[in-house]
Amino acid sequence: MQYTTLGRSGLTVSRACLGTMNFGTSGGVAACDETEAARIVDAFLDAGGNIVDTADAYTGGESEQIVGRAVKGRRDQVVLATKAFLPQGPGPNDRGLSRVHLTRALEASLRRLGTDYIDLYQCHQWDDSTPIEETMATLDGFVRSGKVRYLGCSNFSAAQIVESQWAAQRTNATPFISLQPQYSLLARSIEAEILPACRKHGLGTLVWSPLGGGVLTGRYRRGAAPDAGSRMGRLKASALPMARAWADGLLNEPNLDIAGHVVETAAELGTTPAAVALAWVRHRPGVTSVIVGPRTLDQLHGNLAGLATDLPAETIEHLDEISRPAGAAIVNGMNTSPVAGPGRLGVAGEGR
């Protein structure tokens, strides 16, 4: 396992991050029970991984509970990360990045995780209704209290990153050290502005959905309905319109074309499509750690093997070319177009 520091901080994290959105069976499309989740966490830590990411909204808080029990006895080995923003109740103050909601959300996460501190506390989304100065001052209070060690954000735009860091500077508050953005061969829009903003303002990146929701594993084919037991099959059968729209957005023609190239490349290299997709993300400039979200222990082992794969330079160049967003120019290996890549989702989601 390789390690690096996260953003402009001294916090050392593994290049693989264990995402736990699939932990818990209480709702949604997650399908990993607590027994399997505990095996996954143990195997990840035994392999040298040290950062585990969850959120208060994952499976109604069940993911945090499972993670807390799984790391008990090994807490000091773990960089424990969670997030807040999404609704935790029906009231108007039960969501967002206000002082009242963040304070309630932090206390609830600490209880579910069974710990007295969180290593990396993250804003899950931007909140237009709360002044960013209030948010950053509140988060700084958490750090000063000892309940939080470091701060991060998720799904922020470049402008929102800059606003947040400037607000922290103006109020003498603790700045963000990390961003969680979506990034894969199907979604490269962060290369244009977000990754440069992260570099300039001291944020490392924990990138999610490196397999494009599973599309880059080669499991889905043009003209064929996804298997009922597959992730896309479950999403398409979901009663939630957002879930169905998300699946339709991923299984479009450009994405399936890219996935086809990944399958061909994997066959040429004698490896799996998932390994090729994960290795490509790991090679990208500006990527600190790659979030993998396995539902089974076998998937975890496959993900870790993929992240350890080294791709030939010509393979990386080929994958860069076939996945480049239309109209994008490449400067120093990065896409300079502000236009999203072919896999950009029209709905919120963190499928990995």
Side-chain angles (χ1 to χ4, degrees), residues 77-326:
Q77 298 177 20
V78 179
V79 175
L80 188 56
T82 192
K83 300 181 284 292
F85 169 89
L86 295 175
Q88 297 296 296
N93 287 310
D94 290 336
R95 60 172 292 160
L97 301 180
S98 68
R99 178 173 286 107
V100 63
H101 178 65
L102 285 176
T103 302
R104 291 172 181 171
L106 174 62
E107 295 300 330
S109 287
L110 289 169
R111 287 194 299 271
R112 285 190 292 265
L113 289 163
T115 186
D116 57 4
Y117 71 97
I118 290 166
D119 296 287
L120 180 64
Y121 197 57
Q122 303 156 104
C123 298
H124 210 151
Q125 294 179 25
W126 178 263
D127 183 359
D128 279 325
S129 65
T130 300
I132 188 58
E133 290 83 2
E134 176 180 334
T135 298
M136 299 308 292
T138 301
L139 295 172
D140 180 65
F142 297 165
V143 174
R144 293 177 187 273
S145 73
K147 294 180 179 180
V148 168
R149 301 290 191 257
Y150 296 92
L151 303 174
C153 55
S154 177
N155 303 312
F156 276 32
S157 69
Q160 290 161 355
I161 291 167
V162 173
E163 275 197 67
S164 301
Q165 298 300 73
W166 282 355
Q169 187 177 49
R170 287 195 305 272
T171 58
N172 197 30
T174 305
F176 290 138
I177 65 161
S178 66
L179 171 75
Q180 278 197 32
Q182 183 187 12
Y183 195 33
S184 73
L185 282 160
L186 305 185
R188 296 180 57 183
S189 62
I190 67 168
E191 295 175 1
E193 296 178 350
I194 291 175
L195 286 179
C198 287
R199 287 196 300 271
K200 183 173 180 60
H201 292 275
L203 279 67
T205 59
L206 309 168
V207 300
W208 58 268
S209 200
L211 296 177
V215 174
L216 292 170
T217 65
R219 188 170 187 176
Y220 306 103
R221 295 285 190 268
R222 182 182 289 104
D227 293 339
S230 68
R231 180 169 197 161
M232 291 298 111
R234 294 194 305 272
L235 287 170
K236 278 184 165 291
S238 172
L240 300 173
M242 182 178 290
R244 297 194 299 273
W246 183 25
D248 290 339
L250 281 169
L251 295 175
N252 61 36
E253 294 293 315
N255 284 0
L256 292 174
D257 283 342
I258 293 170
H261 282 283
V262 171
V263 170
E264 293 171 1
T265 299
E268 293 169 2
L269 297 177
T271 188
T272 65
V276 170
L278 288 166
W280 180 87
V281 172
R282 180 177 65 82
H283 279 92
R284 299 304 294 167
V287 171
T288 304
S289 187
V290 180
I291 299 174
V292 294
R295 290 186 296 109
T296 67
L297 187 59
D298 286 344
Q299 286 181 357
L300 173 69
H301 290 318
N303 291 162
L304 295 180
L307 287 172
T309 300
D310 289 320
L311 298 177
E314 59 270 21
T315 297
I316 295 174
E317 184 177 351
H318 170 67
L319 294 172
D320 291 351
E321 182 61 33
I322 60 97
S323 65
R324 185 177 302 170

Side-chain angles (χ1 to χ4, degrees), residues 1-7 9-21 23 37 40-55 58 63 67-68 70-71 74-83 113 117-122 149-153 177-181 204-208 287-294 300 304 307 352:
M1 183 67 68
Q2 296 178 328
Y3 303 90
T4 188
T5 51
L6 184 58
S9 81
L11 182 63
T12 298
V13 297
S14 50
R15 294 296 309 277
C17 172
L18 180 62
T20 64
M21 191 179 73
F23 286 9
I40 290 169
V41 171
D42 282 342
F44 177 74
L45 298 178
D46 290 344
N50 76 337
I51 180 166
V52 179
D53 177 70
T54 184
Y58 291 169
S63 174
V67 168
V71 303
R74 306 179 75 172
R75 178 66 182 87
D76 290 343
Q77 298 177 20
V78 179
V79 175
L80 188 56
T82 192
K83 300 181 284 292
L113 289 163
Y117 71 97
I118 290 166
D119 296 287
L120 180 64
Y121 197 57
Q122 303 156 104
R149 301 290 191 257
Y150 296 92
L151 303 174
C153 55
I177 65 161
S178 66
L179 171 75
Q180 278 197 32
T205 59
L206 309 168
V207 300
W208 58 268
V287 171
T288 304
S289 187
V290 180
I291 299 174
V292 294
L300 173 69
L304 295 180
L307 287 172
R352 295 185 167 100

